[in-house]
Amino acid sequence: MSQQLINSVKYLIRLSEEEELLLPTLFNRVTLKKNEPFLQEGKVSNHVGFIEEGLVGYIMTRNGEDVHAYFSGENEWLGNYESFLSRQPSTRSIIALEPCVLWTISKENLQKVFDTMKEGDRMGRLIIEDVFVKSSRQVTSLYTGTPEERYYEFFELFQHIQHRIPQYMIASFIGIKPQSLSRIRSRMAKKH
Amino acid sequence: MSQQLINSVKYLIRLSEEEELLLPTLFNRVTLKKNEPFLQEGKVSNHVGFIEEGLVGYIMTRNGEDVHAYFSGENEWLGNYESFLSRQPSTRSIIALEPCVLWTISKENLQKVFDTMKEGDRMGRLIIEDVFVKSSRQVTSLYTGTPEERYYEFFELFQHIQHRIPQYMIASFIGIKPQSLSRIRSRMAKKH
């Protein structure tokens, strides 16, 4: 059932009856097992998508080690838009951290959304605005944040899904060792 | 003359004759002297804008020191969209690095562009897509880049304006001391 996708789109724009019928035909339902990739680093991204169920992590490689740079859960969009637009190899993998049900869309079909749906461009604008603001906060936090501030930033960005993200991935997002995360957590617990 | 702004918009979308007359009335022409702020850290951003002439730098503060996080020149858009959308205080200042001629637009007038111009949302989508992709590359580079890679990234992002950016700001963008930048530059010069 694609009702969740339609509801999420209707939260952003008005859909005519015809558009409500057309929209799901432009998407494919895809399921991923835990640890299965939606996109692999080094490959060109051909699809972006909507998460009906599950959780994904964005993973980059630094000196052979995984860096967990982002997370998305239900009712959020996923993809590497940079690679998707430019046809350049992706600099990150997107991996299912839980079993996922996704609705994916190709570049060609997304262009149809923009070109044929009355408020298609508005939908695109609002979705990108949202991810851009998050990305922009991440740049700020990477440049200026202390580990404590980055831990708060993690909670602000991922409040809705933080309890489903393993500790070592949170440490990796912040850019510290898991042991340091434990120290920050106990310092913060004492303050409250 | 707002012809440069109109040409830049027409590069992205079609404008009707009426829209071509309407568009400039929604913008204000603003000039900045060198070192004058377009936006100050801690203030809410009320305008975004288009750079007709000049160069700006995005500056954040880390432990009381300036961090130069981004640069924009002629025919590019400027602003802190995060603060502009959310009405939260800006986490960065935007400062004129050269005397600037800008065309600025308020939130209310930008909403008019989106609501009344036929391809207004498309224009917004295309502009945000572009800045999002750059922001996303910056996140990747901050997480995984060595200083050398970040120096290349600087050139890729700011090829068109790099010769106008002082060395200490480039070093700050990369996240190294100016002396280290000199060493990287001489190592790179030997390779080529």
Side-chain angles (χ1 to χ4, degrees), chain A residues 91-126:
Chain A
T91 53
R92 51 195 81 179
S93 299
I94 305 178
I95 308 288
L97 304 182
E98 295 175 1
C100 287
V101 179
L102 310 175
W103 292 90
T104 71
I105 186 167
S106 66
K107 204 170 176 181
E108 200 187 343
N109 280 356
L110 186 60
Q111 199 57 50
K112 270 190 206 160
V113 169
F114 296 150
D115 291 341
T116 64
M117 281 175 44
K118 190 157 183 304
E119 299 194 359
D121 277 314
R122 171 159 298 202
M123 171 183 129
R125 173 174 70 78
L126 293 170

mmCIF file of all heavy atoms in Angstrom, chain A residues 91-126:
data_model
loop_
_atom_site.group_PDB
_atom_site.id
_atom_site.type_symbol
_atom_site.label_atom_id
_atom_site.label_comp_id
_atom_site.label_asym_id
_atom_site.label_seq_id
_atom_site.Cartn_x
_atom_site.Cartn_y
_atom_site.Cartn_z
ATOM 1 N N THR A 91 29.713 9.065 -2.954
ATOM 2 C CA THR A 91 30.774 9.093 -1.949
ATOM 3 C C THR A 91 30.313 8.442 -0.648
ATOM 4 O O THR A 91 31.031 8.456 0.340
ATOM 5 C CB THR A 91 31.172 10.549 -1.633
ATOM 6 O OG1 THR A 91 29.993 11.277 -1.282
ATOM 7 C CG2 THR A 91 31.831 11.207 -2.827
ATOM 8 N N ARG A 92 29.104 7.895 -0.644
ATOM 9 C CA ARG A 92 28.602 7.261 0.575
ATOM 10 C C ARG A 92 27.732 6.060 0.231
ATOM 11 O O ARG A 92 27.150 6.008 -0.849
ATOM 12 C CB ARG A 92 27.797 8.275 1.390
ATOM 13 C CG ARG A 92 26.745 8.981 0.592
ATOM 14 C CD ARG A 92 26.214 10.208 1.303
ATOM 15 N NE ARG A 92 27.104 11.353 1.143
ATOM 16 C CZ ARG A 92 26.873 12.554 1.641
ATOM 17 N NH1 ARG A 92 25.783 12.787 2.323
ATOM 18 N NH2 ARG A 92 27.717 13.539 1.454
ATOM 19 N N SER A 93 27.663 5.100 1.130
ATOM 20 C CA SER A 93 26.708 4.005 0.994
ATOM 21 C C SER A 93 25.486 4.330 1.838
ATOM 22 O O SER A 93 25.581 5.072 2.817
ATOM 23 C CB SER A 93 27.314 2.690 1.506
ATOM 24 O OG SER A 93 28.452 2.350 0.752
ATOM 25 N N ILE A 94 24.360 3.772 1.426
ATOM 26 C CA ILE A 94 23.149 3.874 2.253
ATOM 27 C C ILE A 94 22.715 2.441 2.553
ATOM 28 O O ILE A 94 22.444 1.665 1.634
ATOM 29 C CB ILE A 94 22.034 4.661 1.545
ATOM 30 C CG1 ILE A 94 22.545 6.034 1.107
ATOM 31 C CG2 ILE A 94 20.818 4.802 2.458
ATOM 32 C CD1 ILE A 94 21.521 6.879 0.350
ATOM 33 N N ILE A 95 22.696 2.088 3.825
ATOM 34 C CA ILE A 95 22.512 0.699 4.253
ATOM 35 C C ILE A 95 21.287 0.581 5.161
ATOM 36 O O ILE A 95 21.062 1.458 6.004
ATOM 37 C CB ILE A 95 23.765 0.229 5.058
ATOM 38 C CG1 ILE A 95 25.069 0.489 4.283
ATOM 39 C CG2 ILE A 95 23.646 -1.240 5.471
ATOM 40 C CD1 ILE A 95 25.305 -0.407 3.102
ATOM 41 N N ALA A 96 20.536 -0.476 4.982
ATOM 42 C CA ALA A 96 19.385 -0.737 5.864
ATOM 43 C C ALA A 96 19.888 -1.149 7.249
ATOM 44 O O ALA A 96 20.587 -2.146 7.381
ATOM 45 C CB ALA A 96 18.515 -1.848 5.279
ATOM 46 N N LEU A 97 19.560 -0.367 8.257
ATOM 47 C CA LEU A 97 19.935 -0.727 9.634
ATOM 48 C C LEU A 97 18.850 -1.601 10.266
ATOM 49 O O LEU A 97 19.054 -2.216 11.308
ATOM 50 C CB LEU A 97 20.165 0.521 10.489
ATOM 51 C CG LEU A 97 21.211 1.535 9.972
ATOM 52 C CD1 LEU A 97 21.351 2.689 10.953
ATOM 53 C CD2 LEU A 97 22.560 0.873 9.741
ATOM 54 N N GLU A 98 17.685 -1.583 9.626
ATOM 55 C CA GLU A 98 16.570 -2.467 10.006
ATOM 56 C C GLU A 98 15.937 -2.930 8.690
ATOM 57 O O GLU A 98 16.163 -2.288 7.667
ATOM 58 C CB GLU A 98 15.502 -1.680 10.789
ATOM 59 C CG GLU A 98 15.960 -1.140 12.125
ATOM 60 C CD GLU A 98 14.888 -0.258 12.781
ATOM 61 O OE1 GLU A 98 13.784 -0.082 12.196
ATOM 62 O OE2 GLU A 98 15.161 0.263 13.877
ATOM 63 N N PRO A 99 15.145 -3.981 8.695
ATOM 64 C CA PRO A 99 14.430 -4.345 7.461
ATOM 65 C C PRO A 99 13.605 -3.144 6.989
ATOM 66 O O PRO A 99 12.988 -2.459 7.811
ATOM 67 C CB PRO A 99 13.524 -5.498 7.896
ATOM 68 C CG PRO A 99 14.164 -6.054 9.125
ATOM 69 C CD PRO A 99 14.829 -4.895 9.813
ATOM 70 N N CYS A 100 13.633 -2.859 5.687
ATOM 71 C CA CYS A 100 12.997 -1.638 5.169
ATOM 72 C C CYS A 100 11.956 -1.937 4.099
ATOM 73 O O CYS A 100 12.121 -2.859 3.295
ATOM 74 C CB CYS A 100 14.039 -0.731 4.532
ATOM 75 S SG CYS A 100 15.117 0.110 5.692
ATOM 76 N N VAL A 101 10.907 -1.107 4.081
ATOM 77 C CA VAL A 101 10.007 -1.040 2.934
ATOM 78 C C VAL A 101 10.150 0.360 2.359
ATOM 79 O O VAL A 101 9.899 1.358 3.057
ATOM 80 C CB VAL A 101 8.537 -1.285 3.342
ATOM 81 C CG1 VAL A 101 7.628 -1.174 2.118
ATOM 82 C CG2 VAL A 101 8.392 -2.631 4.021
ATOM 83 N N LEU A 102 10.579 0.427 1.106
ATOM 84 C CA LEU A 102 10.848 1.726 0.469
ATOM 85 C C LEU A 102 9.984 1.889 -0.775
ATOM 86 O O LEU A 102 9.572 0.908 -1.395
ATOM 87 C CB LEU A 102 12.320 1.802 0.025
ATOM 88 C CG LEU A 102 13.399 1.432 1.040
ATOM 89 C CD1 LEU A 102 14.768 1.443 0.362
ATOM 90 C CD2 LEU A 102 13.372 2.418 2.210
ATOM 91 N N TRP A 103 9.733 3.138 -1.145
ATOM 92 C CA TRP A 103 9.148 3.463 -2.447
ATOM 93 C C TRP A 103 10.198 4.269 -3.199
ATOM 94 O O TRP A 103 10.544 5.369 -2.778
ATOM 95 C CB TRP A 103 7.857 4.263 -2.271
ATOM 96 C CG TRP A 103 6.787 3.414 -1.661
ATOM 97 C CD1 TRP A 103 6.538 3.256 -0.337
ATOM 98 C CD2 TRP A 103 5.882 2.569 -2.360
ATOM 99 N NE1 TRP A 103 5.518 2.359 -0.159
ATOM 100 C CE2 TRP A 103 5.090 1.922 -1.384
ATOM 101 C CE3 TRP A 103 5.639 2.289 -3.724
ATOM 102 C CZ2 TRP A 103 4.074 1.019 -1.720
ATOM 103 C CZ3 TRP A 103 4.637 1.395 -4.052
ATOM 104 C CH2 TRP A 103 3.865 0.761 -3.054
ATOM 105 N N THR A 104 10.717 3.690 -4.287
ATOM 106 C CA THR A 104 11.816 4.360 -4.987
ATOM 107 C C THR A 104 11.349 4.919 -6.321
ATOM 108 O O THR A 104 10.397 4.418 -6.933
ATOM 109 C CB THR A 104 12.992 3.394 -5.224
ATOM 110 O OG1 THR A 104 12.614 2.439 -6.209
ATOM 111 C CG2 THR A 104 13.391 2.689 -3.929
ATOM 112 N N ILE A 105 12.039 5.953 -6.775
ATOM 113 C CA ILE A 105 11.664 6.613 -8.024
ATOM 114 C C ILE A 105 12.927 6.896 -8.838
ATOM 115 O O ILE A 105 13.959 7.277 -8.278
ATOM 116 C CB ILE A 105 10.832 7.898 -7.747
ATOM 117 C CG1 ILE A 105 10.304 8.507 -9.053
ATOM 118 C CG2 ILE A 105 11.612 8.931 -6.934
ATOM 119 C CD1 ILE A 105 9.217 9.572 -8.841
ATOM 120 N N SER A 106 12.859 6.664 -10.142
ATOM 121 C CA SER A 106 13.993 6.912 -11.038
ATOM 122 C C SER A 106 14.065 8.398 -11.384
ATOM 123 O O SER A 106 13.118 9.152 -11.162
ATOM 124 C CB SER A 106 13.824 6.110 -12.320
ATOM 125 O OG SER A 106 12.696 6.611 -13.033
ATOM 126 N N LYS A 107 15.189 8.788 -11.956
ATOM 127 C CA LYS A 107 15.380 10.179 -12.350
ATOM 128 C C LYS A 107 14.324 10.597 -13.375
ATOM 129 O O LYS A 107 13.759 11.686 -13.306
ATOM 130 C CB LYS A 107 16.779 10.336 -12.952
ATOM 131 C CG LYS A 107 17.294 11.740 -12.863
ATOM 132 C CD LYS A 107 18.748 11.846 -13.223
ATOM 133 C CE LYS A 107 19.139 13.309 -13.197
ATOM 134 N NZ LYS A 107 20.538 13.528 -13.561
ATOM 135 N N GLU A 108 14.070 9.685 -14.328
ATOM 136 C CA GLU A 108 13.098 9.948 -15.394
ATOM 137 C C GLU A 108 11.706 10.184 -14.800
ATOM 138 O O GLU A 108 11.009 11.130 -15.173
ATOM 139 C CB GLU A 108 13.089 8.723 -16.298
ATOM 140 C CG GLU A 108 12.532 8.953 -17.672
ATOM 141 C CD GLU A 108 12.418 7.615 -18.416
ATOM 142 O OE1 GLU A 108 13.064 6.612 -17.983
ATOM 143 O OE2 GLU A 108 11.662 7.587 -19.391
ATOM 144 N N ASN A 109 11.317 9.327 -13.877
ATOM 145 C CA ASN A 109 9.985 9.470 -13.281
ATOM 146 C C ASN A 109 9.902 10.674 -12.346
ATOM 147 O O ASN A 109 8.857 11.324 -12.258
ATOM 148 C CB ASN A 109 9.592 8.188 -12.541
ATOM 149 C CG ASN A 109 9.082 7.128 -13.505
ATOM 150 O OD1 ASN A 109 8.963 7.384 -14.708
ATOM 151 N ND2 ASN A 109 8.793 5.935 -12.997
ATOM 152 N N LEU A 110 10.996 10.989 -11.677
ATOM 153 C CA LEU A 110 10.979 12.182 -10.823
ATOM 154 C C LEU A 110 10.817 13.426 -11.701
ATOM 155 O O LEU A 110 10.094 14.357 -11.350
ATOM 156 C CB LEU A 110 12.257 12.273 -9.980
ATOM 157 C CG LEU A 110 12.270 13.408 -8.956
ATOM 158 C CD1 LEU A 110 11.119 13.278 -7.959
ATOM 159 C CD2 LEU A 110 13.593 13.470 -8.197
ATOM 160 N N GLN A 111 11.467 13.397 -12.873
ATOM 161 C CA GLN A 111 11.299 14.522 -13.796
ATOM 162 C C GLN A 111 9.832 14.636 -14.221
ATOM 163 O O GLN A 111 9.305 15.742 -14.364
ATOM 164 C CB GLN A 111 12.227 14.348 -15.004
ATOM 165 C CG GLN A 111 12.487 15.639 -15.789
ATOM 166 C CD GLN A 111 13.075 16.765 -14.933
ATOM 167 O OE1 GLN A 111 14.043 16.566 -14.221
ATOM 168 N NE2 GLN A 111 12.458 17.941 -14.983
ATOM 169 N N LYS A 112 9.162 13.474 -14.381
ATOM 170 C CA LYS A 112 7.720 13.495 -14.709
ATOM 171 C C LYS A 112 6.922 14.174 -13.601
ATOM 172 O O LYS A 112 5.982 14.921 -13.874
ATOM 173 C CB LYS A 112 7.198 12.057 -14.894
ATOM 174 C CG LYS A 112 7.315 11.560 -16.316
ATOM 175 C CD LYS A 112 6.549 10.242 -16.476
ATOM 176 C CE LYS A 112 7.182 9.457 -17.628
ATOM 177 N NZ LYS A 112 6.877 8.022 -17.587
ATOM 178 N N VAL A 113 7.285 13.876 -12.345
ATOM 179 C CA VAL A 113 6.609 14.537 -11.215
ATOM 180 C C VAL A 113 6.759 16.050 -11.361
ATOM 181 O O VAL A 113 5.787 16.810 -11.257
ATOM 182 C CB VAL A 113 7.203 14.073 -9.858
ATOM 183 C CG1 VAL A 113 6.708 14.947 -8.713
ATOM 184 C CG2 VAL A 113 6.860 12.611 -9.600
ATOM 185 N N PHE A 114 7.996 16.494 -11.628
ATOM 186 C CA PHE A 114 8.253 17.932 -11.731
ATOM 187 C C PHE A 114 7.540 18.547 -12.949
ATOM 188 O O PHE A 114 7.051 19.664 -12.895
ATOM 189 C CB PHE A 114 9.760 18.205 -11.834
ATOM 190 C CG PHE A 114 10.549 17.804 -10.613
ATOM 191 C CD1 PHE A 114 11.874 17.395 -10.717
ATOM 192 C CD2 PHE A 114 9.977 17.853 -9.351
ATOM 193 C CE1 PHE A 114 12.604 17.031 -9.585
ATOM 194 C CE2 PHE A 114 10.706 17.485 -8.216
ATOM 195 C CZ PHE A 114 12.017 17.076 -8.343
ATOM 196 N N ASP A 115 7.511 17.810 -14.048
ATOM 197 C CA ASP A 115 7.002 18.389 -15.297
ATOM 198 C C ASP A 115 5.494 18.281 -15.448
ATOM 199 O O ASP A 115 4.876 19.129 -16.093
ATOM 200 C CB ASP A 115 7.664 17.727 -16.507
ATOM 201 C CG ASP A 115 9.137 18.072 -16.621
ATOM 202 O OD1 ASP A 115 9.553 19.082 -16.009
ATOM 203 O OD2 ASP A 115 9.872 17.340 -17.312
ATOM 204 N N THR A 116 4.888 17.227 -14.893
ATOM 205 C CA THR A 116 3.468 17.022 -15.193
ATOM 206 C C THR A 116 2.547 17.284 -14.004
ATOM 207 O O THR A 116 1.379 17.580 -14.206
ATOM 208 C CB THR A 116 3.197 15.588 -15.703
ATOM 209 O OG1 THR A 116 3.498 14.669 -14.650
ATOM 210 C CG2 THR A 116 4.061 15.258 -16.917
ATOM 211 N N MET A 117 3.055 17.189 -12.788
ATOM 212 C CA MET A 117 2.166 17.441 -11.651
ATOM 213 C C MET A 117 2.147 18.930 -11.339
ATOM 214 O O MET A 117 3.177 19.585 -11.293
ATOM 215 C CB MET A 117 2.608 16.637 -10.428
ATOM 216 C CG MET A 117 2.148 15.173 -10.530
ATOM 217 S SD MET A 117 2.764 14.135 -9.168
ATOM 218 C CE MET A 117 2.483 15.183 -7.757
ATOM 219 N N LYS A 118 0.934 19.439 -11.105
ATOM 220 C CA LYS A 118 0.766 20.881 -10.943
ATOM 221 C C LYS A 118 1.722 21.448 -9.889
ATOM 222 O O LYS A 118 2.355 22.474 -10.092
ATOM 223 C CB LYS A 118 -0.687 21.189 -10.596
ATOM 224 C CG LYS A 118 -1.023 22.665 -10.646
ATOM 225 C CD LYS A 118 -2.495 22.915 -10.848
ATOM 226 C CE LYS A 118 -2.778 24.416 -10.964
ATOM 227 N NZ LYS A 118 -2.307 25.208 -9.823
ATOM 228 N N GLU A 119 1.822 20.771 -8.734
ATOM 229 C CA GLU A 119 2.689 21.271 -7.666
ATOM 230 C C GLU A 119 3.913 20.374 -7.465
ATOM 231 O O GLU A 119 4.479 20.320 -6.368
ATOM 232 C CB GLU A 119 1.879 21.418 -6.360
ATOM 233 C CG GLU A 119 0.732 22.413 -6.501
ATOM 234 C CD GLU A 119 0.121 22.832 -5.159
ATOM 235 O OE1 GLU A 119 0.551 22.343 -4.092
ATOM 236 O OE2 GLU A 119 -0.809 23.671 -5.180
ATOM 237 N N GLY A 120 4.323 19.684 -8.532
ATOM 238 C CA GLY A 120 5.464 18.774 -8.451
ATOM 239 C C GLY A 120 6.745 19.494 -8.044
ATOM 240 O O GLY A 120 7.495 19.017 -7.182
ATOM 241 N N ASP A 121 6.988 20.647 -8.673
ATOM 242 C CA ASP A 121 8.192 21.406 -8.324
ATOM 243 C C ASP A 121 8.134 21.895 -6.881
ATOM 244 O O ASP A 121 9.152 21.968 -6.197
ATOM 245 C CB ASP A 121 8.349 22.612 -9.259
ATOM 246 C CG ASP A 121 9.003 22.230 -10.576
ATOM 247 O OD1 ASP A 121 10.016 21.517 -10.546
ATOM 248 O OD2 ASP A 121 8.494 22.660 -11.630
ATOM 249 N N ARG A 122 6.926 22.246 -6.434
ATOM 250 C CA ARG A 122 6.792 22.691 -5.039
ATOM 251 C C ARG A 122 7.146 21.552 -4.081
ATOM 252 O O ARG A 122 7.876 21.760 -3.112
ATOM 253 C CB ARG A 122 5.368 23.187 -4.761
ATOM 254 C CG ARG A 122 5.115 23.441 -3.276
ATOM 255 C CD ARG A 122 3.972 24.366 -3.010
ATOM 256 N NE ARG A 122 4.230 25.692 -3.573
ATOM 257 C CZ ARG A 122 3.634 26.814 -3.154
ATOM 258 N NH1 ARG A 122 2.753 26.771 -2.175
ATOM 259 N NH2 ARG A 122 3.906 27.968 -3.718
ATOM 260 N N MET A 123 6.651 20.369 -4.385
ATOM 261 C CA MET A 123 6.991 19.208 -3.565
ATOM 262 C C MET A 123 8.511 19.034 -3.522
ATOM 263 O O MET A 123 9.102 18.890 -2.453
ATOM 264 C CB MET A 123 6.322 17.966 -4.157
ATOM 265 C CG MET A 123 6.767 16.667 -3.536
ATOM 266 S SD MET A 123 5.970 15.247 -4.374
ATOM 267 C CE MET A 123 7.426 14.248 -4.700
ATOM 268 N N GLY A 124 9.139 19.080 -4.696
ATOM 269 C CA GLY A 124 10.597 18.945 -4.755
ATOM 270 C C GLY A 124 11.284 20.025 -3.939
ATOM 271 O O GLY A 124 12.192 19.749 -3.156
ATOM 272 N N ARG A 125 10.819 21.256 -4.101
ATOM 273 C CA ARG A 125 11.430 22.370 -3.366
ATOM 274 C C ARG A 125 11.330 22.150 -1.861
ATOM 275 O O ARG A 125 12.316 22.307 -1.131
ATOM 276 C CB ARG A 125 10.755 23.702 -3.743
ATOM 277 C CG ARG A 125 11.219 24.875 -2.883
ATOM 278 C CD ARG A 125 10.670 26.208 -3.341
ATOM 279 N NE ARG A 125 9.252 26.392 -3.126
ATOM 280 C CZ ARG A 125 8.667 26.690 -1.961
ATOM 281 N NH1 ARG A 125 9.397 26.790 -0.853
ATOM 282 N NH2 ARG A 125 7.366 26.860 -1.874
ATOM 283 N N LEU A 126 10.157 21.756 -1.382
ATOM 284 C CA LEU A 126 9.966 21.613 0.061
ATOM 285 C C LEU A 126 10.794 20.460 0.630
ATOM 286 O O LEU A 126 11.346 20.578 1.727
ATOM 287 C CB LEU A 126 8.471 21.429 0.375
ATOM 288 C CG LEU A 126 7.613 22.671 0.080
ATOM 289 C CD1 LEU A 126 6.131 22.339 0.167
ATOM 290 C CD2 LEU A 126 7.962 23.821 1.038
#
